[in-house]
mmCIF file with all atom_site columns, all heavy atoms in Angstrom:
data_model
loop_
_atom_site.group_PDB
_atom_site.id
_atom_site.type_symbol
_atom_site.label_atom_id
_atom_site.label_alt_id
_atom_site.label_comp_id
_atom_site.label_asym_id
_atom_site.label_entity_id
_atom_site.label_seq_id
_atom_site.pdbx_PDB_ins_code
_atom_site.Cartn_x
_atom_site.Cartn_y
_atom_site.Cartn_z
_atom_site.occupancy
_atom_site.B_iso_or_equiv
_atom_site.pdbx_formal_charge
_atom_site.auth_seq_id
_atom_site.auth_comp_id
_atom_site.auth_asym_id
_atom_site.auth_atom_id
_atom_site.pdbx_PDB_model_num
ATOM 1   N N   . SER U 1 400 ? -52.506 88.745  -1.127  1.00 62.00 ? 400 SER U N   1
ATOM 2   C CA  . SER U 1 400 ? -53.645 89.617  -1.439  1.00 62.00 ? 400 SER U CA  1
ATOM 3   C C   . SER U 1 400 ? -53.775 90.758  -0.446  1.00 62.00 ? 400 SER U C   1
ATOM 4   O O   . SER U 1 400 ? -54.348 91.805  -0.754  1.00 62.00 ? 400 SER U O   1
ATOM 5   C CB  . SER U 1 400 ? -54.942 88.799  -1.464  1.00 62.00 ? 400 SER U CB  1
ATOM 6   O OG  . SER U 1 400 ? -55.167 88.214  -0.187  1.00 62.00 ? 400 SER U OG  1
ATOM 7   N N   . SER U 1 401 ? -53.215 90.556  0.771   1.00 66.00 ? 401 SER U N   1
ATOM 8   C CA  . SER U 1 401 ? -53.339 91.590  1.804   1.00 66.00 ? 401 SER U CA  1
ATOM 9   C C   . SER U 1 401 ? -52.123 92.511  1.858   1.00 66.00 ? 401 SER U C   1
ATOM 10  O O   . SER U 1 401 ? -52.107 93.455  2.644   1.00 66.00 ? 401 SER U O   1
ATOM 11  C CB  . SER U 1 401 ? -53.529 90.922  3.180   1.00 66.00 ? 401 SER U CB  1
ATOM 12  O OG  . SER U 1 401 ? -52.391 90.148  3.497   1.00 66.00 ? 401 SER U OG  1
ATOM 13  N N   . LEU U 1 402 ? -51.106 92.237  1.040   1.00 71.00 ? 402 LEU U N   1
ATOM 14  C CA  . LEU U 1 402 ? -49.883 93.017  1.126   1.00 71.00 ? 402 LEU U CA  1
ATOM 15  C C   . LEU U 1 402 ? -49.859 94.159  0.118   1.00 71.00 ? 402 LEU U C   1
ATOM 16  O O   . LEU U 1 402 ? -50.394 94.039  -0.983  1.00 71.00 ? 402 LEU U O   1
ATOM 17  C CB  . LEU U 1 402 ? -48.666 92.115  0.892   1.00 71.00 ? 402 LEU U CB  1
ATOM 18  C CG  . LEU U 1 402 ? -48.420 91.046  1.952   1.00 71.00 ? 402 LEU U CG  1
ATOM 19  C CD1 . LEU U 1 402 ? -47.228 90.194  1.552   1.00 71.00 ? 402 LEU U CD1 1
ATOM 20  C CD2 . LEU U 1 402 ? -48.193 91.649  3.319   1.00 71.00 ? 402 LEU U CD2 1
ATOM 21  N N   . LYS U 1 403 ? -49.198 95.221  0.514   1.00 73.00 ? 403 LYS U N   1
ATOM 22  C CA  . LYS U 1 403 ? -49.083 96.379  -0.374  1.00 73.00 ? 403 LYS U CA  1
ATOM 23  C C   . LYS U 1 403 ? -48.029 96.114  -1.445  1.00 73.00 ? 403 LYS U C   1
ATOM 24  O O   . LYS U 1 403 ? -47.116 95.312  -1.267  1.00 73.00 ? 403 LYS U O   1
ATOM 25  C CB  . LYS U 1 403 ? -48.708 97.612  0.449   1.00 73.00 ? 403 LYS U CB  1
ATOM 26  C CG  . LYS U 1 403 ? -49.791 97.981  1.467   1.00 73.00 ? 403 LYS U CG  1
ATOM 27  C CD  . LYS U 1 403 ? -49.347 99.129  2.343   1.00 73.00 ? 403 LYS U CD  1
ATOM 28  C CE  . LYS U 1 403 ? -50.428 99.443  3.383   1.00 73.00 ? 403 LYS U CE  1
ATOM 29  N NZ  . LYS U 1 403 ? -50.010 100.500 4.308   1.00 73.00 ? 403 LYS U NZ  1
ATOM 30  N N   . ALA U 1 404 ? -48.151 96.837  -2.535  1.00 69.00 ? 404 ALA U N   1
ATOM 31  C CA  . ALA U 1 404 ? -47.284 96.601  -3.697  1.00 69.00 ? 404 ALA U CA  1
ATOM 32  C C   . ALA U 1 404 ? -45.811 96.776  -3.363  1.00 69.00 ? 404 ALA U C   1
ATOM 33  O O   . ALA U 1 404 ? -44.953 96.063  -3.893  1.00 69.00 ? 404 ALA U O   1
ATOM 34  C CB  . ALA U 1 404 ? -47.679 97.527  -4.834  1.00 69.00 ? 404 ALA U CB  1
ATOM 35  N N   . ASN U 1 405 ? -45.464 97.731  -2.456  1.00 79.00 ? 405 ASN U N   1
ATOM 36  C CA  . ASN U 1 405 ? -44.043 97.981  -2.183  1.00 79.00 ? 405 ASN U CA  1
ATOM 37  C C   . ASN U 1 405 ? -43.399 96.900  -1.310  1.00 79.00 ? 405 ASN U C   1
ATOM 38  O O   . ASN U 1 405 ? -42.213 96.959  -1.011  1.00 79.00 ? 405 ASN U O   1
ATOM 39  C CB  . ASN U 1 405 ? -43.844 99.362  -1.556  1.00 79.00 ? 405 ASN U CB  1
ATOM 40  C CG  . ASN U 1 405 ? -44.540 99.488  -0.209  1.00 79.00 ? 405 ASN U CG  1
ATOM 41  O OD1 . ASN U 1 405 ? -45.191 98.565  0.254   1.00 79.00 ? 405 ASN U OD1 1
ATOM 42  N ND2 . ASN U 1 405 ? -44.409 100.652 0.402   1.00 79.00 ? 405 ASN U ND2 1
ATOM 43  N N   . THR U 1 406 ? -44.187 95.913  -0.895  1.00 87.00 ? 406 THR U N   1
ATOM 44  C CA  . THR U 1 406 ? -43.620 94.771  -0.182  1.00 87.00 ? 406 THR U CA  1
ATOM 45  C C   . THR U 1 406 ? -42.861 93.856  -1.140  1.00 87.00 ? 406 THR U C   1
ATOM 46  O O   . THR U 1 406 ? -41.941 93.164  -0.744  1.00 87.00 ? 406 THR U O   1
ATOM 47  C CB  . THR U 1 406 ? -44.737 93.962  0.508   1.00 87.00 ? 406 THR U CB  1
ATOM 48  O OG1 . THR U 1 406 ? -45.481 94.835  1.346   1.00 87.00 ? 406 THR U OG1 1
ATOM 49  C CG2 . THR U 1 406 ? -44.181 92.816  1.327   1.00 87.00 ? 406 THR U CG2 1
ATOM 50  N N   . PHE U 1 407 ? -43.255 93.878  -2.401  1.00 87.00 ? 407 PHE U N   1
ATOM 51  C CA  . PHE U 1 407 ? -42.705 92.952  -3.386  1.00 87.00 ? 407 PHE U CA  1
ATOM 52  C C   . PHE U 1 407 ? -41.525 93.576  -4.128  1.00 87.00 ? 407 PHE U C   1
ATOM 53  O O   . PHE U 1 407 ? -41.378 94.784  -4.207  1.00 87.00 ? 407 PHE U O   1
ATOM 54  C CB  . PHE U 1 407 ? -43.793 92.542  -4.384  1.00 87.00 ? 407 PHE U CB  1
ATOM 55  C CG  . PHE U 1 407 ? -44.936 91.823  -3.736  1.00 87.00 ? 407 PHE U CG  1
ATOM 56  C CD1 . PHE U 1 407 ? -46.095 92.504  -3.374  1.00 87.00 ? 407 PHE U CD1 1
ATOM 57  C CD2 . PHE U 1 407 ? -44.853 90.474  -3.463  1.00 87.00 ? 407 PHE U CD2 1
ATOM 58  C CE1 . PHE U 1 407 ? -47.142 91.852  -2.751  1.00 87.00 ? 407 PHE U CE1 1
ATOM 59  C CE2 . PHE U 1 407 ? -45.895 89.810  -2.844  1.00 87.00 ? 407 PHE U CE2 1
ATOM 60  C CZ  . PHE U 1 407 ? -47.046 90.500  -2.487  1.00 87.00 ? 407 PHE U CZ  1
ATOM 61  N N   . ILE U 1 408 ? -40.713 92.687  -4.675  1.00 90.00 ? 408 ILE U N   1
ATOM 62  C CA  . ILE U 1 408 ? -39.583 93.121  -5.489  1.00 90.00 ? 408 ILE U CA  1
ATOM 63  C C   . ILE U 1 408 ? -39.539 92.261  -6.740  1.00 90.00 ? 408 ILE U C   1
ATOM 64  O O   . ILE U 1 408 ? -39.831 91.064  -6.683  1.00 90.00 ? 408 ILE U O   1
ATOM 65  C CB  . ILE U 1 408 ? -38.254 93.034  -4.699  1.00 90.00 ? 408 ILE U CB  1
ATOM 66  C CG1 . ILE U 1 408 ? -37.138 93.799  -5.416  1.00 90.00 ? 408 ILE U CG1 1
ATOM 67  C CG2 . ILE U 1 408 ? -37.847 91.587  -4.440  1.00 90.00 ? 408 ILE U CG2 1
ATOM 68  C CD1 . ILE U 1 408 ? -35.897 94.011  -4.559  1.00 90.00 ? 408 ILE U CD1 1
ATOM 69  N N   . SER U 1 409 ? -39.181 92.847  -7.847  1.00 88.00 ? 409 SER U N   1
ATOM 70  C CA  . SER U 1 409 ? -39.138 92.108  -9.109  1.00 88.00 ? 409 SER U CA  1
ATOM 71  C C   . SER U 1 409 ? -37.696 91.934  -9.561  1.00 88.00 ? 409 SER U C   1
ATOM 72  O O   . SER U 1 409 ? -36.792 92.652  -9.112  1.00 88.00 ? 409 SER U O   1
ATOM 73  C CB  . SER U 1 409 ? -39.922 92.857  -10.187 1.00 88.00 ? 409 SER U CB  1
ATOM 74  O OG  . SER U 1 409 ? -39.260 94.078  -10.511 1.00 88.00 ? 409 SER U OG  1
ATOM 75  N N   . ILE U 1 410 ? -37.491 91.011  -10.469 1.00 91.00 ? 410 ILE U N   1
ATOM 76  C CA  . ILE U 1 410 ? -36.152 90.783  -11.024 1.00 91.00 ? 410 ILE U CA  1
ATOM 77  C C   . ILE U 1 410 ? -35.638 92.030  -11.760 1.00 91.00 ? 410 ILE U C   1
ATOM 78  O O   . ILE U 1 410 ? -34.484 92.440  -11.550 1.00 91.00 ? 410 ILE U O   1
ATOM 79  C CB  . ILE U 1 410 ? -36.138 89.556  -11.938 1.00 91.00 ? 410 ILE U CB  1
ATOM 80  C CG1 . ILE U 1 410 ? -36.421 88.280  -11.144 1.00 91.00 ? 410 ILE U CG1 1
ATOM 81  C CG2 . ILE U 1 410 ? -34.809 89.444  -12.682 1.00 91.00 ? 410 ILE U CG2 1
ATOM 82  C CD1 . ILE U 1 410 ? -35.333 87.856  -10.200 1.00 91.00 ? 410 ILE U CD1 1
ATOM 83  N N   . PRO U 1 411 ? -36.438 92.678  -12.619 1.00 91.00 ? 411 PRO U N   1
ATOM 84  C CA  . PRO U 1 411 ? -35.953 93.901  -13.284 1.00 91.00 ? 411 PRO U CA  1
ATOM 85  C C   . PRO U 1 411 ? -35.554 95.003  -12.304 1.00 91.00 ? 411 PRO U C   1
ATOM 86  O O   . PRO U 1 411 ? -34.535 95.680  -12.491 1.00 91.00 ? 411 PRO U O   1
ATOM 87  C CB  . PRO U 1 411 ? -37.133 94.330  -14.163 1.00 91.00 ? 411 PRO U CB  1
ATOM 88  C CG  . PRO U 1 411 ? -37.879 93.063  -14.419 1.00 91.00 ? 411 PRO U CG  1
ATOM 89  C CD  . PRO U 1 411 ? -37.757 92.272  -13.154 1.00 91.00 ? 411 PRO U CD  1
ATOM 90  N N   . PHE U 1 412 ? -36.363 95.179  -11.242 1.00 93.00 ? 412 PHE U N   1
ATOM 91  C CA  . PHE U 1 412 ? -36.044 96.196  -10.234 1.00 93.00 ? 412 PHE U CA  1
ATOM 92  C C   . PHE U 1 412 ? -34.722 95.853  -9.543  1.00 93.00 ? 412 PHE U C   1
ATOM 93  O O   . PHE U 1 412 ? -33.853 96.713  -9.343  1.00 93.00 ? 412 PHE U O   1
ATOM 94  C CB  . PHE U 1 412 ? -37.168 96.279  -9.202  1.00 93.00 ? 412 PHE U CB  1
ATOM 95  C CG  . PHE U 1 412 ? -36.935 97.319  -8.131  1.00 93.00 ? 412 PHE U CG  1
ATOM 96  C CD1 . PHE U 1 412 ? -37.330 98.633  -8.326  1.00 93.00 ? 412 PHE U CD1 1
ATOM 97  C CD2 . PHE U 1 412 ? -36.307 96.986  -6.932  1.00 93.00 ? 412 PHE U CD2 1
ATOM 98  C CE1 . PHE U 1 412 ? -37.105 99.597  -7.342  1.00 93.00 ? 412 PHE U CE1 1
ATOM 99  C CE2 . PHE U 1 412 ? -36.077 97.931  -5.954  1.00 93.00 ? 412 PHE U CE2 1
ATOM 100 C CZ  . PHE U 1 412 ? -36.487 99.242  -6.161  1.00 93.00 ? 412 PHE U CZ  1
ATOM 101 N N   . LEU U 1 413 ? -34.557 94.586  -9.191  1.00 96.00 ? 413 LEU U N   1
ATOM 102 C CA  . LEU U 1 413 ? -33.345 94.152  -8.504  1.00 96.00 ? 413 LEU U CA  1
ATOM 103 C C   . LEU U 1 413 ? -32.121 94.290  -9.417  1.00 96.00 ? 413 LEU U C   1
ATOM 104 O O   . LEU U 1 413 ? -31.048 94.709  -8.980  1.00 96.00 ? 413 LEU U O   1
ATOM 105 C CB  . LEU U 1 413 ? -33.507 92.705  -8.046  1.00 96.00 ? 413 LEU U CB  1
ATOM 106 C CG  . LEU U 1 413 ? -32.408 92.109  -7.169  1.00 96.00 ? 413 LEU U CG  1
ATOM 107 C CD1 . LEU U 1 413 ? -32.093 92.995  -5.980  1.00 96.00 ? 413 LEU U CD1 1
ATOM 108 C CD2 . LEU U 1 413 ? -32.811 90.712  -6.705  1.00 96.00 ? 413 LEU U CD2 1
ATOM 109 N N   . THR U 1 414 ? -32.284 93.975  -10.684 1.00 96.00 ? 414 THR U N   1
ATOM 110 C CA  . THR U 1 414 ? -31.189 94.121  -11.644 1.00 96.00 ? 414 THR U CA  1
ATOM 111 C C   . THR U 1 414 ? -30.728 95.571  -11.729 1.00 96.00 ? 414 THR U C   1
ATOM 112 O O   . THR U 1 414 ? -29.524 95.866  -11.749 1.00 96.00 ? 414 THR U O   1
ATOM 113 C CB  . THR U 1 414 ? -31.626 93.625  -13.032 1.00 96.00 ? 414 THR U CB  1
ATOM 114 O OG1 . THR U 1 414 ? -31.983 92.244  -12.943 1.00 96.00 ? 414 THR U OG1 1
ATOM 115 C CG2 . THR U 1 414 ? -30.509 93.783  -14.053 1.00 96.00 ? 414 THR U CG2 1
#
Side-chain angles (χ1 to χ4, degrees):
S400 61
S401 63
L402 294 177
K403 297 175 182 177
N405 63 359
T406 305
F407 298 97
I408 194 167
S409 67
I410 295 291
F412 181 87
L413 187 51
T414 300

